Amino acid sequence: MKIRVLGCAGALAAGYRTTSFLLDDDVLIDAGSGVAELTVDAMVEVDHILVTHSHLDHVLAIGLLADTVQRRRAQAGRPPVKVHALPETLQALRAHVFNGVIWPDFTRLPSPERPALTFHEFAVGDRLDLGAGRHIEVISAVHTVPAVGFAVDGGAVGHWVFTGDTGPNPALWQRLSEIKVAHLVIECAFGDEECGLAGISKHLCPTTLREELGKLGGAIDVHITHIKPGERAAVMDAVRALRTKHRISALENFQEFSLD
């Protein structure tokens, strides 16, 4: 298995894309503006989209991808793209995106019988089987809307874990203590000067990140995501100054992880 970073910024600017990862060639984990890094041919190959939560920076490309690929997938006899998320997230997409006002309802287009998208519910603790021996566990997140993270099972290599957007979350660390973690992709959306705002919006800042990482045993590779453009240097200077046994670096666009 291979995971490629398509976008990992907390907002938009030239050279910055919002959250999206490509697992192999056919699974998107979140669908922020990073999806635009894919060619049309690559978008046509996407069969599954796993969504952490309903915020725009994580879902804005779902409808655009559907519009791009629906004709070619139909011509090739390919099934609808499956969108997997919490029931509350799927309801938010139905009500606020695919409502015919913000975007056409591609769960009924080009026809109700052969739509471009289908929605599929999951719950925290579910283990998704995406074929080819790929299993992804839905893990807990604490955010301002119902949210999750994902743990991609890399077998003997260990798990690639993406926390999604989350504030402090004891349930996450309890679960991670029970599995082998090879890579942890975790957010740090604010600098320490905005820790109060991070708390209100249920994100992390370097101080709370240090407290959270202190609950994770061993010494693993930790990759910081969801930093806003223009704040990357300041946030990473504070993160690198943390006293921790873990190996911390900033997540990079187009970075690849191998779970073979």
Side-chain angles (χ1 to χ4, degrees), residues 124-125 127 137-140 151 159 161 169-181 216:
V124 172
R127 186 171 164 87
E137 182 177 339
V138 182
I139 60 176
S140 169
H159 290 73
V161 176
N169 180 14
L172 170 67
W173 308 108
Q174 175 58 42
R175 181 59 186 134
L176 295 191
S177 73
E178 299 166 348
I179 63 176
K180 180 180 178 181
V181 179
L216 181 63

Side-chain angles (χ1 to χ4, degrees), residues 102-153:
I102 299 300
W103 203 247
D105 184 0
F106 278 102
T107 67
R108 298 183 58 80
L109 293 172
S111 72
E113 296 76 27
R114 294 187 61 83
L117 302 173
T118 55
F119 286 176
H120 303 265
E121 297 181 1
F122 59 48
V124 172
D126 284 355
R127 186 171 164 87
L128 310 178
D129 183 349
L130 299 182
R134 299 173 304 180
H135 297 92
I136 300 179
E137 182 177 339
V138 182
I139 60 176
S140 169
V142 175
H143 199 37
T144 55
V145 295
V148 299
F150 297 110
V152 180
D153 190 347

Side-chain angles (χ1 to χ4, degrees), residues 208-249:
T208 50
L209 175 66
R210 181 194 66 231
E211 294 168 356
E212 293 295 280
L213 290 179
K215 302 170 186 175
L216 181 63
I220 68 167
D221 292 317
V222 175
H223 311 272
I224 305 302
T225 188
H226 212 277
I227 307 172
K228 294 176 177 59
E231 299 181 20
R232 179 182 172 96
V235 169
M236 285 309 302
D237 283 348
V239 168
R240 292 189 186 100
L242 299 178
R243 300 184 66 179
T244 175
K245 58 193 177 239
H246 303 298
R247 300 176 292 273
I248 302 181
S249 61

Side-chain angles (χ1 to χ4, degrees), residues 175-199:
R175 181 59 186 134
L176 295 191
S177 73
E178 299 166 348
I179 63 176
K180 180 180 178 181
V181 179
H183 295 277
L184 174 65
V185 176
I186 186 168
E187 68 131 272
C188 189
F190 292 92
D192 271 340
E193 70 281 2
E194 294 185 307
C195 268
L197 182 56

